[in-house]
Amino acid sequence: MSRTILVTGGAGFIGSHYIRYLLTHHRDIQVINADALRYSANLRNLDDVAGDSRYRFKQVDLSRQEEVERLFAHRINEVVHFAAESHVDRSIQGAEPFIQSNLIGTYRLLETIRQSSTVKRMIHISTDEVYGSICQGRTAEGASLKPGNPYSASKASSDLLCLAYANTYGLPVVITRCTNNYGPNQHPEKFIPKMIFHALRDRPLPLYGDGQQERDWLYVTDHCAAVDRVREHGRVGEVYHIGAEQTIPNREIAGRILDLLGKPTTLIQTAPDRPGHDFRYSLQTEKLRRELGWMPVVSLEQGLSKTIRWYQAQTDWQQGFGQPPGGTSL
Ligand SMILES: NC(=O)c1ccc[n+]([C@@H]2O[C@H](COP(=O)([O-])OP(=O)(O)OC[C@H]3O[C@@H](n4cnc5c(N)ncnc54)[C@H](O)[C@@H]3O)[C@@H](O)[C@H]2O)c1
């Protein structure tokens, strides 16, 4: 009998790529995509797989117990948990949806899995942001968590809950923490799509502060391949880091985008900095590379070119997004 893999948050940026990855790389599986269809969700991200008989979509808010219970009336064998509120600036404006989705949503999922006799594995998708900012070097998996904003605090809280459920109840949970992702399908409020959108329209590129903040950018399909290795071979109760091990200042990313589009760097403009803006995140990824043989295959140059070409080709993709309370941020 084929396995059923529940992907939460599959209408979002990374989750939609992961569903495509699963359906492309595994024949004998069923995929259920459970997503609340919040403002960053876009079912058009999955247009090409929507007709696949192995794929089903369920609109589910994970913070609602009865909806989670209904979802688990389906026989589910594995869970890959991407669903989250994911934008730092929005968490600074109001943390409530982050606590609801990221912490309560994860708690409801864990509790339901605890009652389930069929779920044999859960992968909890987390982020490098849980460690807070580091001036230099790379953070290892055992480092203490020091989140610097409500988003990362809600993710760190959900990570700790997962580890506690693994320890206390023996839940088969594995955590991945990845660095910044980029690629097609990402909501235009995020850094790289925002820079591309503005550059394509010859509008000033708003860069927070001096733009010297550093991030380690990973192309989204490399992230998906890593998550799938961890799903298949990762050790229960462990944390695995995922990243390219190459930190780059935001200003340089904006410059490269302009360069690839043949536009002048004078389009870069300073915007007021984000409160409490973390200066730098960087992860050590040796454990994943050594234990599970994963390596990123898309270089930053290739990835940026592919991403720009994809955004250039879109006409009405944006119409597929849910609306945030109070209107769109585009
Ligand atoms: N984007 C990155 O650079 C990055 C890096 C590392 C880790 N992550 C993690 O990866 C995951 C996915 O990030 P993304 O960038 O694809 O985010 P996204 O905002 O594009 O997608 C998140 C999805 O989760 C859904 N969702 C939110 N709350 C929900 C709820 N209560 N119930 C059901 N669905 C809900 C949304 O509707 C959306 O489709 C998140 O857990 C994030 O913390 C992201």
Side-chain angles (χ1 to χ4, degrees), residues 88-89 91-92 127-134 144-157 215 274-281:
V88 175
D89 290 341
S91 80
I92 293 169
T127 164
D128 57 357
E129 301 202 22
V130 297
Y131 297 109
S133 190
I134 56 159
S144 54
L145 307 189
K146 212 174 160 200
N149 58 61
Y151 161 65
S152 52
S154 68
K155 291 296 292 187
S157 310
R215 301 290 183 264
R274 166 189 283 169
H277 201 170
D278 285 340
F279 175 68
R280 181 174 179 274
Y281 309 121

Side-chain angles (χ1 to χ4, degrees), residues 9 11-15 34-38 40-41 60-63 81-86 101 125-127 151 155 178-181 186 190 223:
F13 165 45
I14 308 171
D35 196 299
L37 296 184
R38 295 280 159 75
S40 64
V60 176
D61 180 346
L62 293 174
S63 68
H81 179 37
F82 288 93
E85 290 291 336
S86 68
S101 283
I125 307 298
S126 189
T127 164
Y151 161 65
K155 291 296 292 187
C178 188
T179 59
N180 279 47
N181 281 218
Q186 191 169 25
K190 294 291 176 71
H223 184 186

Side-chain angles (χ1 to χ4, degrees), residues 64-112:
R64 292 176 174 271
Q65 182 63 32
E66 66 285 3
E67 295 190 23
V68 181
E69 277 170 16
R70 260 203 309 278
L71 175 64
F72 277 78
H74 300 274
R75 187 188 164 86
I76 291 165
N77 305 107
E78 297 176 34
V79 177
V80 186
H81 179 37
F82 288 93
E85 290 291 336
S86 68
H87 191 45
V88 175
D89 290 341
R90 286 177 186 269
S91 80
I92 293 169
Q93 285 158 19
E96 167 95 28
F98 289 75
I99 305 301
Q100 285 299 335
S101 283
N102 303 2
L103 185 53
I104 305 293
T106 302
Y107 159 70
R108 301 236 182 273
L109 202 53
L110 288 167
E111 267 300 310
T112 313

Side-chain angles (χ1 to χ4, degrees), residues 252-305:
E252 189 180 327
I253 294 287
R256 288 201 194 193
I257 290 168
L258 288 168
D259 199 40
L260 285 162
L261 284 167
K263 311 253 175 171
T265 50
T266 49
L267 277 176
I268 297 178
Q269 279 194 6
T270 299
D273 208 351
R274 166 189 283 169
H277 201 170
D278 285 340
F279 175 68
R280 181 174 179 274
Y281 309 121
S282 178
L283 297 181
Q284 228 174 66
T285 61
E286 194 204 328
K287 177 175 171 180
L288 175 68
R289 293 174 193 235
R290 185 174 24 84
E291 269 188 33
L292 303 185
W294 171 86
M295 285 283 286
V297 295
V298 182
S299 71
L300 184 63
E301 201 168 353
Q302 290 167 335
L304 279 180
S305 304

Side-chain angles (χ1 to χ4, degrees), residues 191-249:
F191 179 66
I192 285 183
K194 192 199 279 179
M195 296 299 122
I196 295 174
F197 265 71
H198 284 257
L200 286 173
R201 290 160 181 76
D202 293 311
R203 294 204 300 237
L205 275 59
L207 209 57
Y208 284 144
D210 61 7
Q212 292 309 320
Q213 305 86 358
E214 292 182 17
R215 301 290 183 264
D216 175 7
W217 292 98
L218 186 71
Y219 193 69
V220 62
T221 51
D222 278 335
H223 184 186
C224 293
V227 167
D228 214 43
R229 288 277 168 98
V230 172
R231 182 184 64 78
E232 289 196 302
H233 306 293
R235 284 181 290 135
V236 165
E238 292 288 320
V239 174
Y240 290 88
H241 284 174
I242 306 170
E245 297 208 350
Q246 183 190 28
T247 51
I248 300 196

Side-chain angles (χ1 to χ4, degrees), residues 29-43:
I29 54 159
Q30 302 284 321
V31 176
I32 298 178
N33 172 12
D35 196 299
L37 296 184
R38 295 280 159 75
Y39 76 94
S40 64
N42 189 338
L43 283 173

